[in-house]
Amino acid sequence: MEVLKEIKSKIEQNKEEKRKKLLDNAYELFETKGFKKTSIQDIVDKAGVAKGTFYLYFKNKEDIRNHLVAEKSNNLFKRAIDALNTQDIDQFDEQIIFVINHVIDDLQNDNEILSFINRDLSLGFYSHEISKIFDDNALGLYDLFVEGIKTVNKSIENVDIVFFMIVELIGTTCYHCLHEQIPCDMETYKPYLYKAIRAIIHNA
């Protein structure tokens, strides 16, 4: 029985290593060659796996990109939640603002990730693959939001929609401010963004 468990464990480990190798090499190629110029053959050649292996994990090139965007987005929010846990912030809306500010600062300091994620920050929450991570992470932003919003806005009709609105607002508007300085630079924009988020939390 123990031998079977060990074999299964090694098989799963091998599968995860291949998947990670595909993701890592795809990300590197997307960054150096560009998404459009990178083919699935390029990815498998660089990863050193057969083309059939690619399709065991991903449907197509867009699918592997979406997995990467979701993973990068999730990492941003996870680091922000970890930082929040070192702070003494009791007010729910201020907790959310702290997390958002941390994510924005991370994006501001890493133009490569900003360009790659583009406006798709919400994929970190709404991709099926990444949702498994949040199921196991009690400190995820979604869980924090669901629990916290009940304390400040008991009449809210649909927490999921409000959460989606906020994440989309961050992703789209911050991309324009950070990447294109439209309509202004990020520091000028932040007070307006945070005011809008507080209003959504309290009045949705």
Side-chain angles (χ1 to χ4, degrees):
M1 199 69 168
E2 288 300 318
V3 175
L4 281 174
K5 281 184 182 177
E6 191 176 332
I7 291 170
K8 283 182 181 178
S9 176
K10 283 182 179 176
I11 290 171
E12 289 303 313
Q13 186 180 343
N14 186 45
K15 284 168 67 177
E16 183 54 34
E17 283 173 1
K18 284 182 180 177
R19 180 182 174 279
K20 188 175 185 310
K21 194 181 283 189
L22 284 164
L23 286 165
D24 289 346
N25 285 281
Y27 181 69
E28 191 177 324
L29 285 165
F30 292 157
E31 286 300 299
T32 54
K33 288 185 68 172
F35 179 73
K36 287 183 180 178
K37 291 182 179 177
T38 299
S39 67
I40 290 173
Q41 191 64 54
D42 290 333
I43 296 169
V44 298
D45 286 347
K46 188 168 177 58
V49 300
K51 199 168 188 177
T53 303
F54 179 93
Y55 291 105
L56 290 174
Y57 304 99
F58 309 104
K59 298 172 190 172
N60 48 42
K61 191 171 70 167
E62 288 73 18
D63 188 35
I64 195 171
R65 179 193 175 275
N66 287 345
H67 276 73
L68 280 165
V69 170
E71 186 179 273
K72 302 295 181 188
S73 299
N74 179 63
N75 288 340
L76 284 169
F77 282 106
K78 187 179 184 306
R79 284 199 299 272
I81 292 290
D82 289 343
L84 174 64
N85 290 330
T86 68
Q87 306 295 310
D88 186 21
I89 303 174
D90 295 325
Q91 246 179 291
F92 166 65
D93 52 356
E94 294 308 316
Q95 291 176 341
I96 295 298
I97 296 300
F98 177 90
V99 169
I100 291 166
N101 191 69
H102 194 284
V103 168
I104 290 171
D105 287 349
D106 269 4
L107 287 171
Q108 202 161 13
N109 293 326
D110 194 337
N111 196 57
E112 186 179 284
I113 294 293
L114 173 66
S115 297
F116 185 72
I117 290 176
N118 201 310
R119 303 164 184 80
D120 297 327
L121 205 58
S122 60
L123 271 177
F125 299 94
Y126 295 99
S127 110
H128 174 69
E129 184 68 22
I130 294 300
S131 69
K132 292 187 293 185
I133 295 172
F134 277 84
D135 288 344
D136 296 332
N137 180 10
L139 298 177
L141 181 61
Y142 178 78
D143 293 326
L144 174 71
F145 188 84
V146 170
E147 289 305 309
I149 204 164
K150 292 174 187 174
T151 67
V152 296
N153 188 348
K154 292 182 169 55
S155 63
I156 193 166
E157 289 182 17
N158 194 316
V159 177
D160 286 351
I161 288 176
V162 175
F163 181 78
F164 179 78
M165 283 170 56
I166 290 174
V167 177
E168 281 293 286
L169 177 64
I170 301 162
T172 304
T173 60
C174 289
Y175 176 82
H176 285 299
C177 284
L178 289 170
H179 199 261
E180 302 164 353
Q181 303 282 294
I182 296 173
C184 58
D185 64 87
M186 195 66 238
E187 292 309 310
T188 303
Y189 181 65
K190 275 182 180 180
Y192 296 94
L193 174 65
Y194 299 159
K195 186 177 180 181
I197 290 169
R198 288 187 182 98
I200 291 171
I201 288 171
H202 289 282
N203 302 311

